[in-house]
Amino acid sequence: ANLALQEGRLAAAQMELNSAQNQLDEKQRELDEVQAMYDAAMKEKQALLDDAEACRRKMNNATALIEGLRGEKLRWTASSKNFQNQIINLVGNVLLATGFLSYSGPFNQEYRNLLLQLWKKEMDNSKIPYSKNLNLTGMLVDNATVGEWNLQGLPNDDLSIQNGIIVTKASRYPLLIDPQGQGKIWIKNKEKNNGLQVNINLQFFENVC
């Protein structure tokens, strides 16, 4: 009788256990669903945070670009105005450059400057536009070429650079009055790779003098 009583109690307890297990399983399923929803929400939140950070970086880059373009607009406007002035003054500048190449070769620096001033005065009288701050050396040769000439032995003073321009740019063959031999050294170094031939008699004559 006791055994039957205990088996009845065991059966009742087992039923309660099964009911509790079923409830636990149901709650676990609900918990899993809520956890999945939570994970999805956190993932979406992180994605939104990443998108917000990316948008913030893009906004910062766009702001920097806009500021840079605003500065570039000013520079481009100034450059456009400068180019327009160069176009207007081109005829006069080329006239001064060709006059310099054609006629100033035999003269020293002082007389070359005087010639330029006289030409500018005549151009003013004839209303020919030209750049008031024209640098003939900068117009006719670039700094890299001047640096190469210096490495080849040409002195770095303005007169020597002008002479180098006349030698290389003028259409006529130059006659060098070269008591110190600097021009001869420069030309020989400059034309060394082009097969320059030096007249032996002329070389002997120069050495004797």
Side-chain angles (χ1 to χ4, degrees), residues 26-197:
E26 180 67 23
K27 298 302 181 182
Q28 185 64 44
R29 284 193 297 270
E30 292 179 1
L31 177 62
D32 292 341
E33 292 176 358
V34 173
Q35 184 67 41
M37 293 174 60
Y38 173 78
D39 293 341
M42 292 301 296
K43 184 177 181 181
E44 183 178 3
K45 175 186 176 182
Q46 188 60 45
L48 291 174
L49 290 175
D50 293 341
D51 289 343
E53 182 62 26
C55 289
R56 189 176 297 109
R57 288 196 300 268
K58 290 180 180 179
M59 287 177 60
N60 292 335
N61 293 336
T63 301
L65 179 61
I66 291 172
E67 293 297 328
L69 290 176
R70 185 178 292 116
E72 286 297 306
K73 179 182 178 182
L74 297 176
R75 188 178 68 85
W76 290 337
T77 302
S79 297
S80 177
K81 184 178 180 181
N82 185 37
F83 291 149
Q84 187 65 32
N85 291 332
Q86 289 182 10
I87 293 173
I88 295 173
N89 298 328
L90 182 60
V91 174
N93 293 345
V94 171
L95 183 59
L96 288 173
T98 53
F100 170 80
L101 290 175
S102 300
Y103 299 108
S104 63
F107 306 113
N108 59 21
Q109 186 71 69
E110 182 179 359
Y111 198 77
R112 289 178 182 179
N113 293 334
L114 178 60
L115 283 176
L116 286 175
Q117 295 302 321
L118 293 174
W119 292 339
K120 290 179 179 180
K121 183 177 180 180
E122 291 296 328
M123 292 170 66
D124 289 334
N125 294 335
S126 301
K127 294 183 172 29
I128 300 175
Y130 63 92
S131 298
K132 302 301 180 182
N133 57 347
L134 176 64
N135 181 0
L136 286 176
T137 300
M139 179 180 177
L140 294 171
V141 71
D142 56 81
N143 292 330
T145 302
V146 173
E148 186 177 357
W149 289 352
N150 296 148
L151 293 176
Q152 293 166 347
L154 185 70
N156 197 31
D157 59 280
D158 291 339
L159 182 62
S160 297
I161 294 174
Q162 289 181 359
N163 290 339
I165 293 173
I166 294 172
V167 167
T168 56
K169 301 292 185 181
S171 58
R172 292 174 293 184
Y173 291 108
L175 174 63
L176 299 184
I177 301 175
D178 187 30
Q180 297 179 349
Q182 294 173 329
K184 180 181 68 175
I185 293 173
W186 169 59
I187 289 179
K188 290 174 70 174
N189 290 333
K190 183 177 184 302
E191 300 298 330
K192 179 172 59 176
N193 296 329
N194 297 326
L196 176 67
Q197 296 183 5

Side-chain angles (χ1 to χ4, degrees), residues 6-22:
Q6 296 304 323
E7 287 177 348
R9 290 179 178 178
L10 177 61
Q14 188 64 43
M15 290 179 61
E16 291 180 1
L17 176 62
N18 292 336
S19 177
Q21 185 64 46
N22 292 333

